Amino acid sequence: MAINWFPGHMHKARKEIKKVMPQMDLIIEVLDARIPFSSENPLVPALRQNTPVIKVLNKRDLADPAVTAQWQASLERDKGVRAITLDHQHRDEAMAILKLAREMTAHRNLERSALRVMILGIPNVGKSTLINTLAGRTIAKTGNEPAVTRAQQIIKLPDNVLLYDTPGFLWPKLSPEACGYRLAVTGAIRAAVIEFDDVALFAAEYLLQAYPEALRDRYDLDPLPADGLGVMDAIAARRNFYGRGGVPDLHKVAEVLLNELRAGKLGRISLETPAMVAREAQQALAGSPQA
Ligand code: G4P
C-alpha cells in the first residue's frame, strides 16, 4: 500500500489548513525524533504567523538522545516554538503538553475560554497514540489515505482544550532527496514509492558512516566493509541469506536490516542532525550535488 500524494489531494489539504490555522490558539506538531526535519510539515512555518507551536519529538525511545537534544535546541531558536521529547510509555509527560499549551498562550488571556489546538503529523508518527493518551479514550483515526479521509475532527480534552485533528497527511518533504530516503527508512513512505532495496542501501551507507559500532555489534561485522553494498553482502553472509546459485539475497537483507532498524534492534539511531540538514540546504543553494 503506497502513501498517496496526489496534487489534488494536497491542494485540498493545504486549503483546509490555511482556512483553519488562523483560528487556532496553538499548534502541536508531532515529529519523528529520528527525523525531525524530514517529518516536519512545511505548511506550519509558512502559515502559522505568530501562533505558538509545540514540536513533539515523538518515538524518542528509538532516537539517539544526544542528537535529539541538538534538535530541541535548534528548533527552539524559532520564536514561539517549544520542543519537547516523548514516547508512548510516558502518559504523565504527554499530559504535561496541555499544561505547556496553557502556559504558552497565557499572555492572550485565554484561561477561562476553550483553547483551540491544532494537531498535525505525518502518518505513522504516533499522532493517534498521543491523541488517545490525551483524551483518555480511543478516538477513531482520521484517515491517512484519500479514500478514507474524513475532514478534521474536534476532540474535547481535559483543561478545556479543543483539539482539532487533521488527516495524517504526508507532506512530501522530498527535497533534498535524502529527506525522502529518511522518511522511507523510518517506514513513513512505503516501499512502493521508493525502491525497498535502495532504501536499505541508503540506510547501510548512513549507518556505516554515523553508527559503525551499531552495525558491527548487531551483525558481527569485523572488519567493517568499505561501503553500503559491502555491508549488505556481509549481512547476507552472516545470516546465510543466499538465493539460487549462491547469490546473496539482497532483498531479504534489505527487509531484515530495515525491520531491525525500525524496531530499535540496532540501538537508538537518529537519521539526521541539525548540522547535516544545514549542510544539505547549503549544497542545494549552491546547486551542488548532494551527498
Ligand atoms: P499515526 O496516528 O501518526 O499514524 O500513528 P499511530 O499512533 O497509529 O502509531 C503508529 C505506530 O507507531 C504504532 O505502531 C504505534 O504503536 C507506534 N508508536 C507510537 N508512539 C510511539 C513511540 O513513542 N515509540 C515507539 N517506539 N513507537 C510508537 P504499529 O506497529 O503500527 O502498531 P502496534 O503494533 O503498536 O499496534
Side-chain angles (χ1 to χ4, degrees):
M1 178 180 61
I3 297 285
N4 297 289
W5 55 71
F6 300 128
H9 182 64
M10 272 171 47
H11 181 67
K12 196 164 156 248
R14 188 181 206 281
K15 248 174 70 181
E16 182 68 25
I17 287 190
K18 199 171 172 182
K19 195 172 83 197
V20 178
M21 208 177 260
Q23 301 159 27
M24 294 294 131
D25 301 310
L26 183 128
I27 297 161
I28 296 175
E29 187 175 16
V30 189
L31 302 174
D32 186 320
R34 294 165 295 176
I35 47 167
F37 176 75
S38 297
S39 60
E40 220 171 34
N41 186 325
L43 292 182
V44 174
L47 301 177
R48 83 172 170 102
Q49 296 178 344
N50 295 323
T51 310
V53 183
I54 300 176
K55 304 246 184 194
V56 178
L57 299 177
N58 197 40
K59 302 197 181 186
R60 69 174 171 204
D61 53 310
L62 298 174
D64 181 336
V67 176
T68 302
Q70 289 175 23
W71 276 113
Q72 271 185 286
S74 158
L75 291 167
E76 290 198 340
R77 273 189 214 119
D78 266 359
K79 197 163 172 277
V81 173
R82 291 289 301 275
I84 62 148
T85 71
L86 197 65
D87 65 64
H88 62 331
Q89 309 285 9
H90 290 85
R91 185 178 178 274
D92 49 335
E93 290 181 51
M95 297 315 288
I97 295 175
L98 300 181
K99 192 160 166 269
L100 179 61
R102 279 286 171 197
E103 273 168 32
M104 288 174 74
T105 50
H107 62 286
R108 294 168 66 187
N109 265 334
L110 295 163
E111 278 88 357
R112 257 178 255 121
S113 51
L115 198 66
R116 283 163 305 180
V117 175
M118 177 185 257
I119 187 160
L120 302 156
I122 61 169
N124 208 39
V125 75
K127 190 183 69 164
S128 308
T129 307
L130 175 57
I131 292 175
N132 291 343
T133 303
L134 293 174
R137 62 187 196 279
T138 304
I139 306 282
K141 256 192 165 188
T142 50
N144 286 339
E145 314 293 327
V148 292
T149 293
R150 304 183 346 186
Q152 63 170 12
Q153 58 172 334
I154 305 173
I155 302 149
K156 278 186 118 169
L157 298 183
D159 296 336
N160 207 9
V161 172
L162 291 178
L163 193 66
Y164 290 68
D165 182 20
T166 52
F169 185 77
L170 178 64
W171 268 259
K173 198 157 185 183
L174 301 175
S175 167
E177 196 188 22
C179 287
Y181 276 101
R182 290 180 204 134
L183 283 160
V185 171
T186 64
I189 295 181
R190 308 295 168 120
V193 179
I194 302 185
E195 198 57 53
F196 199 67
D197 298 4
D198 285 350
V199 175
L201 186 59
F202 176 91
E205 269 159 14
Y206 174 74
L207 290 168
L208 192 59
Q209 167 248 311
Y211 295 93
E213 304 301 328
L215 266 183
R216 192 194 334 254
D217 293 352
R218 179 76 196 166
Y219 300 108
D220 198 14
L221 307 181
D222 201 8
L224 277 165
D227 58 20
L229 202 53
V231 168
M232 293 184 67
D233 278 338
I235 295 174
R238 281 281 165 223
R239 298 276 175 106
N240 212 12
F241 294 155
Y242 289 107
R244 270 197 201 145
V247 180
D249 185 347
L250 294 186
H251 193 68
K252 176 93 183 155
V253 173
E255 211 172 77
V256 165
L257 178 61
L258 289 179
N259 284 340
E260 295 193 353
L261 179 59
R262 287 171 188 166
K265 293 201 171 136
L266 280 86
R268 298 176 72 175
I269 301 232
S270 293
L271 296 167
E272 61 195 15
T273 67
M276 259 169 78
V277 163
R279 207 165 47 236
E280 285 166 2
Q282 270 179 358
Q283 282 167 344
L285 266 181
S288 63
Q290 277 132 35

